[in-house]
């Protein structure tokens, strides 16, 4: 489906209509969800933009208020990457109306260790005995990942993340602040996970090996401490005393959805069982049946750790999948913007056509985009000459292009050498073509590369406007292309 909500929003902004819409509804949106294809229920996913909020590719109108126990009350306190629960209506054009927007930290507390690789844009963070994986789609606020890795014990963080099968997490958002800079209690913490080693006499249990003492705790909402049991998922708030969390409030994990809800949720697969055709996402069990459609992947490619979006109906505690869409990136590009077409929501980046969508996360490598509180501003902030790191999905239609999943702008990068990792489209005697980009051999080798192979190339633009290799082509390990390209 070809949606262009950004183009619509940009046109509104240029005519001044968007400003009026923002003032009228606390963030923008058309409010017209009366067309066919309207769903009513709950959408759970990470924020990719504002004006009002973009979640799972839908721009939801909001009232501007947020329901949260973690100190957030307004939409303008949210950040990209935070995982929201949005209850309301949405249509197949990518427009929706939110009746309620909820946010809850997954983890909160001091960092004990962190690693980060600037080249691969991957790393891991440890806190409260938990391991959190980081990647190029993780949004950082308050400190860069390099700064955090350089002095992890100097920061406390709030983390919004997806829980994985082994109890670890995949971070969508990491918000940091230096320890000791404000009046908040630096020992105040929050953790969620599966109860283990419950000792009702000592009033202790563990989450992934980290000890919780609940002698002074109370149950939150309608949860009773008498209901604690090994294997249930709980949220714990309290404070650190050495290597023990002294719990003050404990709540079981609420059901994300109501029966007969229309549902969409994105996250990493775990506990996949091909025989029963079931898997879990963030505590929600998903059932595949004969009517389930697959977009950008095949059922045979489903596996633990794969990031997907699921749409369907919630029935008797099970999400019956109507559509499962692959959301993992399969191509990466480091390059410079040559031209931008706002009307078409596309760019030419170092010779590669890049298409934006309502799911595209646009971020900077510092906190500069804190001042941008709308999707329109995100798009309009991109300028010819900006150096970008882009992760996305390789498309073969329309001559080939890269559909951007995430875009990070690098500050003051004067590098005119570009990198592209993607599948080969064509090979000639003196050139190699990837998507719409043809790169001349320039004396370097692409021996061993074949059409369909995933390769990594380094290249530059010549004074004549062509592109040429600056190193030998590197053929990546063979992988099965399970995307349903269009």
């Amino acid at each position: 489906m070809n949606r262009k909500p950004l183009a619509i929003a940009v046109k509104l902004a240029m005519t001044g209509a968007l400003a009026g819409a923002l003032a009228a509804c606390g963030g923008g949106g058309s409010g017209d969800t009366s067309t066919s294809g309207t769903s009513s229920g709950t959408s759970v996913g990470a924020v990719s933009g504002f004006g009002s909020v973009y979640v799972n590719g839908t721009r939801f109108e909001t009232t501007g208020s947020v329901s949260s126990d973690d100190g957030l009350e307004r939409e303008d306190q949210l950040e990209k990457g935070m995982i929201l629960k949005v209850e309301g209506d949405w249509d197949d054009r990518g427009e929706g109306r939110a009746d309620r927007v909820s946010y809850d930290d997954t983890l909160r507390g001091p960092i004990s260790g962190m690693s980060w690789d600037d080249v691969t844009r991957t790393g891991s963070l440890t806190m409260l005995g938990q391991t959190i994986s980081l990647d190029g789609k993780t949004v950082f606020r308050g400190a860069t990942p390099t700064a955090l890795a350089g002095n992890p014990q100097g920061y406390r963080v709030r983390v919004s993340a997806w829980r994985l099968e082994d109890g670890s997490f995949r971070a969508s958002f990491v918000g940091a602040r230096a320890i000791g800079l404000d009046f908040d209690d630096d020992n105040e913490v929050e953790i969620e996970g599966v109860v283990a080693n419950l000792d009702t006499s000592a009033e202790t249990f563990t989450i992934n090996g980290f000890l919780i003492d609940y002698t002074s705790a109370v149950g939150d909402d309608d949860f009773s401490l008498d209901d604690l049991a090994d294997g249930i998922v709980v949220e714990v708030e309290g404070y650190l005393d050495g290597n023990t969390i002294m719990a003050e409030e404990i709540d079981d994990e609420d059901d994300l959805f109501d029966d007969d809800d229309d549902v969409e949720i994105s996250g990493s697969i775990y506990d996949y069982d091909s025989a029963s055709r079931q898997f879990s996402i963030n505590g929600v069990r998903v059932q595949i049946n004969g009517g389930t459609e697959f977009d950008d992947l095949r059922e045979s490619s489903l596996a633990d750790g794969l990031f997907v979006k699921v749409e369907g109906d919630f029935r008797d505690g099970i999400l019956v999948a109507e559509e499962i869409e692959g959301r993992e990136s399969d191509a990466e590009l480091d390059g410079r913007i040559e031209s931008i077409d706002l009307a078409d929501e596309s760019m030419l980046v170092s010779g590669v056509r890049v298409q934006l969508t309502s799911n595209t996360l646009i971020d900077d490598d510092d906190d500069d985009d804190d001042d941008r509180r709308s999707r329109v501003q995100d798009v309009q902030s991109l300028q010819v000459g900006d150096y970008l790191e882009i992760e996305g999905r390789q498309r073969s239609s329309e001559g080939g292009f890269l559909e951007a999943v995430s875009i990070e702008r690098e500050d003051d990068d004067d590098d005119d050498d570009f990198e592209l990792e993607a599948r080969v489209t064509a090979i000639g005697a003196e050139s190699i073509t990837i998507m719409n980009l043809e790169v001349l051999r320039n004396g370097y080798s692409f021996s061993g590369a074949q059409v369909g192979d995933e390769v990594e190339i380094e290249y530059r633009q010549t004074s004549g406007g062509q592109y040429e290799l600056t190193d030998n082509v590197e053929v990546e390990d063979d992988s099965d292309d399970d995307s349903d390209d269009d």
Side-chain angles (χ1 to χ4, degrees), residues 173-442:
F173 169 81
V174 176
R177 70 166 177 80
I179 288 177
L181 287 187
D182 56 33
F183 298 104
D184 289 346
D185 185 350
D186 288 327
N187 288 323
E188 183 267 335
V189 297
E190 179 174 351
I191 187 173
E192 74 171 46
V194 179
V195 173
N197 303 309
L198 176 65
D199 185 335
T200 55
S201 297
E203 295 186 297
T204 62
F205 60 89
T206 62
I207 292 180
N208 266 1
F210 205 83
L211 186 63
I212 316 291
D213 184 319
Y214 66 93
T215 53
S216 301
V218 297
D220 193 21
D221 295 331
D222 57 354
F223 179 70
S224 169
L225 297 183
D226 293 334
D227 295 329
L228 279 172
D230 286 341
I232 71 169
V233 178
V234 296
E235 299 177 359
V236 179
E237 294 192 33
Y239 62 92
L240 272 180
D241 183 4
N243 291 321
T244 301
I245 294 177
M246 306 302 295
E248 295 176 319
E249 291 185 354
I250 300 177
D251 193 8
D252 63 341
E253 187 177 64
D254 295 330
D255 290 336
L256 284 174
F257 313 117
D258 296 325
D259 269 346
D260 299 323
D261 256 2
D262 291 331
V263 165
E264 55 180 12
I265 183 172
S266 55
S268 296
I269 290 175
Y270 64 91
D271 196 20
Y272 174 57
D273 183 346
S274 59
S276 65
R277 304 179 78 188
Q278 290 189 348
F279 59 85
S280 295
I281 293 182
N282 218 38
V284 177
R285 199 64 180 162
V286 178
Q287 177 69 61
I288 302 167
N289 61 26
T292 304
E293 298 180 357
F294 291 86
D295 185 10
D296 277 338
L297 82 168
R298 301 184 182 96
E299 183 174 355
S300 60
S301 69
L302 294 176
D304 289 347
L306 187 70
F307 199 83
V308 298
K309 184 180 87 166
V310 180
E311 298 181 33
D313 296 322
F314 195 69
R315 304 173 191 164
D316 299 322
I318 299 290
L319 174 53
V320 181
E322 295 177 352
E323 181 179 34
I324 301 175
E325 178 185 345
R327 286 291 183 89
E328 289 285 3
S329 301
D330 63 6
E332 298 182 15
L333 170 65
D334 293 354
R336 200 172 296 282
I337 298 178
E338 298 175 11
S339 63
I340 303 175
D341 185 340
L342 286 179
D344 191 46
E345 302 170 11
S346 65
M347 306 181 290
L348 191 66
V349 179
S350 296
V352 177
R353 188 165 78 85
V354 177
Q355 184 70 53
L356 306 181
T357 75
S358 54
N359 282 312
T360 304
L361 173 67
I362 302 172
D363 204 37
D364 291 324
D365 64 353
D366 53 26
D367 287 341
D368 283 350
D369 89 344
D370 282 352
D371 296 331
R372 302 198 305 265
R373 296 301 300 183
S374 81
R375 187 72 174 175
V376 174
Q377 292 173 330
D378 283 340
V379 177
Q380 292 182 332
S381 72
L382 298 171
Q383 302 293 322
V384 171
D386 286 349
Y387 196 91
L388 308 178
E389 294 181 352
I390 303 172
E391 296 185 19
R393 303 281 298 182
Q394 181 173 350
R395 303 302 192 191
S396 60
S397 60
E398 302 176 24
F401 62 93
L402 179 60
E403 183 179 285
V405 172
S406 66
I407 296 175
E408 181 173 347
R409 175 169 33 205
E410 295 294 308
D411 278 349
D412 302 324
D413 196 323
D414 56 2
D415 190 359
D416 285 322
D417 289 329
F418 315 126
E419 295 184 15
L420 175 61
E421 184 175 334
R423 299 185 304 277
V424 176
T425 303
I427 296 178
E430 293 298 326
S431 68
I432 184 170
T433 300
I434 301 175
M435 292 178 280
N436 66 306
L437 172 70
E438 183 181 16
V439 183
L440 302 179
R441 180 194 294 271
N442 191 32

